[in-house]
Amino acid sequence: MCVLCADLAGEVHWTERSMQSTTEEETSNEARRRQARFRRVRVVNRILGVYGLSIRQDLSGTQFVVSDAKGAQELARDLDQVWLAADRLAHTTVDPLDRRLLDRLEC
Amino acid sequence: MLRYTVLSGFLGSGKTTLLRRTLAAHADGEVAVIVNELAPSGVDAHLIADACAAIVEIAGGCACCDKRPELVDAMRCLLDRHERGRLLSLKHVVIETSGLADPLPIAVAVATDPVLRHHFELSSVVTVVDGLGEPSLGDYPEFNRQVMGADRLLISKTDLATPAQVQALAGRLPGQPGILERTSDAWPTLLDPPRTGGVVRSVQPPDEKAHQHAAGIASMSLNVDRALDWTAFGVWLTMLLHAHGQRVLRIKGVVDAEGLGPISINAVQKVLHRPEHVGSMPKDGRALVVIAHGLQADLVSRSLLAFQQIA
């Protein structure tokens, strides 16, 4: 548990696991994790933007903050929770097979 | 991590025979068995009781539905005995399902249990098909789900059927089913994980992009001709399972991740097992197999590529 925010350390989501070799992982694990998380936020923002939502990392870099245009926010620990939060904020199911989404991504 | 295999097959298909052959080849206390019987009492447990490290019988219902809590309890019991040193050599648990059970909810039950998921890893889902004549895919949804959910299909009773019968049956099943020959010493063992390219080959229809079955379950093969961006792939896959997890029976295959190499993917419904590095890509291409109910292959393929474009 984080002594500052009382956040319970959960299981590492599979998208957050480093798939580098063990040797590379040892050298710069934390830096790689942050880089990968930054890239993930960039990709997810392209998708959530279609639904009028956005995502950023929280200050500790351990959680995501999903927001709508009116300022409503939800915290999410991993991508599974991001999509659940996005459903609630967008009042619809965010769907990767949504033709409107695919049209926008293919532009 | 301990490993577990889900052994499936329709009523009377030859599951127990295959299990006994496997246990005979591994008589060193490394394998425990959970036998699920639809009937209030069965004989399978008696047939194999002496050949394995431990046996637990779950009778009077299917472990995929009403007996799922008992299955989880049985797995926890075996884990507890292993950790207390009573089953010290235990490495593998085989779950022999009832003839009408759907194997995937069983794999999901173990993979989502808060205790078991940290100690057990799915080795494979193996389905035995009766060589003397399978039930019609459309008539029995249970059989359909057993076939479509399998990592490996094995045809039994081939000594009783004619070669033409076996060949015709193999042609009707997806992928390249294995043949169990009674006289052969080289039976496949249930304990081998199909972690390599065999995962893809085992379910990919030979000459169709999407293989539609009567019950509305389609097996689609997404052929990707380039390395995938791992970040975008993770975003896509989590979102797909979020929106359509109830309709996705399996996603399996090996993807070529850019800068990381071949990585095996194995999802059962909404649960994705930990991706792992594998030695090489399958010989027959970079295919990701999605077995789902009511999803359009072209739309899934388009979506995967669109997500790759924004990486």
Side-chain angles (χ1 to χ4, degrees), chain A residues 11 13-15 17 19-20 39-40 46-47 79 83-84 87 94-97 99 102-103 105-106, chain B residues 117-118 229-231 234-235 238-240 242-244 260 272 274-275 277 296 299 302-303 307 310:
Chain A
E11 190 180 351
H13 192 258
W14 69 269
T15 54
R17 283 185 66 236
M19 295 305 289
Q20 301 288 343
R39 291 196 66 228
R40 200 167 297 118
R46 286 288 308 277
I47 296 153
L79 284 181
W83 306 128
L84 288 169
D87 283 357
V94 293
D95 182 356
L97 306 184
R99 292 176 196 276
L102 297 182
D103 287 341
L105 295 183
E106 289 165 350
Chain B
R117 67 180 180 180
H118 297 295
D229 180 274
W230 183 245
T231 301
V235 170
T238 54
M239 196 176 177
L240 182 73
H242 161 75
H244 299 284
L260 300 172
L272 188 113
R274 198 169 55 188
H277 282 288
Q296 294 175 31
L299 198 55
R302 179 188 166 195
S303 173
F307 275 62
I310 61 171

Side-chain angles (χ1 to χ4, degrees), chain B residues 106-238:
Chain B
I106 292 173
V108 169
V110 178
T112 54
D113 182 79
V115 174
L116 298 179
R117 67 180 180 180
H118 297 295
H119 298 277
F120 284 95
E121 187 175 27
L122 178 64
S123 177
S124 61
V125 177
V126 179
T127 294
V128 182
V129 181
D130 190 337
L132 284 176
E134 90 289 17
S136 163
L137 287 170
D139 291 347
Y140 294 94
E142 297 90 353
F143 176 71
N144 198 2
R145 295 180 78 88
Q146 289 169 1
V147 168
M148 298 305 287
D151 288 311
R152 247 190 316 174
L153 291 171
L154 299 171
I155 298 177
S156 64
K157 305 179 188 175
T158 53
D159 56 322
L160 301 175
T162 64
Q165 271 182 304
V166 175
Q167 201 170 9
L169 173 59
R172 288 197 297 276
L173 296 171
Q176 297 171 339
I179 307 292
L180 301 178
E181 294 175 10
R182 181 175 291 275
T183 53
S184 169
D185 293 330
W187 271 38
T189 169
L190 288 169
L191 312 187
D192 293 337
R195 281 289 186 196
T196 60
V199 176
V200 174
R201 284 195 298 275
S202 65
V203 296
Q204 189 170 358
D207 52 4
E208 290 177 280
K209 196 158 186 179
H211 189 80
Q212 187 76 38
H213 282 276
I217 298 173
S219 169
M220 59 191 89
S221 177
L222 309 178
N223 292 307
V224 184
D225 58 1
R226 61 186 168 100
L228 292 177
D229 180 274
W230 183 245
T231 301
F233 179 75
V235 170
W236 175 77
L237 187 52
T238 54

Side-chain angles (χ1 to χ4, degrees), chain B residues 218-222 248 250-252 288-292 295 300:
Chain B
S219 169
M220 59 191 89
S221 177
L222 309 178
V248 173
R250 292 298 298 270
I251 297 180
K252 47 192 173 181
L288 188 67
V289 174
V290 179
I291 303 169
L295 295 186
V300 176

